[in-house]
Amino acid sequence: MLDGVLIFWCVLLLFRGVDYYLRFEEKRATAARLEAELSQSQLRALRMHLNPHFFFNTLNSISSLMRSDVAAADLMLEQFSSLLRITLERGDVHLIPLRDEMEFVEMYVSMQERRFTGRIHQEIHVDPKLHDALVPAMILQPIVENAYQHGLSKLECSGILVIEASREYGHLKIRVLNSGIGLDKSPLESASREGLGLKNVINRLRLHYPDEHTFSIDETGSGSVQVSLTLPLQLSTIAPKERPSYG
């Protein structure tokens, strides 16, 4: 009888332990799922916040160009419609191949070339082996837009914009360098120099790669400003789609 009672309590404790473990795992899975859903909701909110900001600034550029060069404004509007088409095709996808992100950035840079009429020399260098590297959608456009708005637009001529993507110690490193007037050293301006676009980029990087990314903005001398970021190198396994050229 003693052996039977001992076996009964051992079995009971075993079942209780298994039950507690299953409940613990279920709660942990639920918490992880809720955290993931929250992150996705935050990412969607940031994307929704970013797109209107980008659209508003682009339409402002087209509007100002209408007063000086109607033909260039018309072409810029056509390119803008192509950017809208690309954005709609992406939908709610958060990570895209670098080739797709660069297609968007090159279109945006081409639009700015119409606006600044040869005042800016542009260079884009991307390692071909990184075309399939996954990056957050529209992660570069706000940085490039910031380079034009706060640096290149202040110059009358000889502006320089350099965009580079390279592999560094198993990570993807992206660098955007622009000439201009440098960073304002006043405390108020320094506190707010990370405008809406850059704050959006920083927040999205934190959500995508909490402890696996870097972001910096520095003055490199002669009024030049450099934004650098590194991401974990993840390659897409999906074959690239055939997409029509957008000019």
Side-chain angles (χ1 to χ4, degrees), residues 3-247:
D3 290 342
V5 172
L6 183 61
I7 293 172
F8 169 78
W9 282 109
C10 288
V11 171
L12 180 62
L13 291 174
L14 177 62
F15 275 100
R16 280 294 182 91
V18 171
D19 182 57
Y20 282 133
Y21 175 77
L22 292 177
R23 288 183 182 181
F24 172 76
E25 285 297 315
E26 183 179 359
K27 288 181 180 179
R28 188 168 66 172
T30 300
R33 186 170 61 253
L34 290 174
E35 184 177 356
E37 290 176 357
L38 177 60
S39 295
Q40 291 296 315
S41 298
Q42 291 174 321
L43 284 169
R44 281 193 292 270
L46 288 170
R47 285 282 302 276
M48 291 174 65
H49 197 197
L50 175 62
N51 287 341
H53 177 262
F54 160 62
F55 295 155
F56 179 77
N57 285 346
T58 304
L59 289 174
N60 263 351
S61 298
I62 295 173
S63 176
S64 62
L65 197 57
M66 285 290 293
R67 301 183 179 91
S68 57
D69 192 337
V70 176
D74 182 65
L75 181 56
M76 193 172 178
L77 186 60
E78 181 180 345
Q79 292 174 322
F80 180 55
S81 69
S82 297
L83 289 181
L84 289 178
R85 189 185 313 170
I86 294 174
T87 302
L88 291 174
E89 286 179 355
R90 288 177 179 174
D92 289 331
V93 176
H94 294 300
L95 295 177
I96 62 173
L98 181 60
R99 72 163 65 83
D100 292 346
E101 180 69 7
M102 292 310 304
E103 177 187 14
F104 193 94
V105 169
E106 288 173 4
M107 179 66 69
Y108 178 78
V109 168
S110 177
M111 291 171 59
Q112 296 302 322
E113 175 65 19
R114 306 291 177 189
R115 177 185 174 191
F116 290 99
T117 59
R119 289 158 48 191
I120 299 169
H121 174 70
Q122 304 154 345
E123 296 182 15
I124 298 179
H125 307 286
V126 178
D127 185 343
K129 296 180 181 179
L130 298 175
H131 285 172
D132 291 328
L134 291 175
V135 298
M138 282 191 75
I139 200 68
L140 283 180
Q141 185 277 329
I143 299 175
V144 177
E145 180 178 3
N146 191 75
Y148 279 102
Q149 184 175 354
H150 298 292
L152 297 167
S153 63
K154 312 297 183 182
L155 302 176
E156 294 297 329
C157 61
S158 303
I160 297 175
L161 174 69
V162 179
I163 304 173
E164 295 181 347
S166 58
R167 182 170 184 160
E168 185 176 276
Y169 303 113
H171 285 72
L172 171 64
K173 181 173 183 178
I174 299 175
R175 183 175 74 101
V176 178
L177 173 71
N178 68 273
S179 57
I181 58 175
L183 298 174
D184 197 309
K185 299 301 189 296
S186 67
L188 180 62
E189 183 65 23
S190 296
S192 62
R193 72 189 184 195
E194 294 176 356
L196 175 63
L198 291 187
K199 287 180 180 178
N200 193 295
V201 168
I202 293 171
N203 289 334
R204 291 169 64 207
L205 288 174
R206 287 172 178 168
L207 285 172
H208 280 296
Y209 319 104
D211 302 311
E212 299 181 284
H213 76 279
T214 64
F215 180 93
S216 64
I217 175 170
D218 305 289
E219 188 169 342
T220 60
S222 303
S224 296
V225 175
Q226 176 176 284
V227 175
S228 299
L229 57 100
T230 60
L231 316 172
L233 182 56
Q234 307 171 21
L235 299 180
S236 172
T237 57
I238 302 176
K241 295 180 180 180
E242 290 295 330
R243 193 199 304 259
S245 175
Y246 288 109

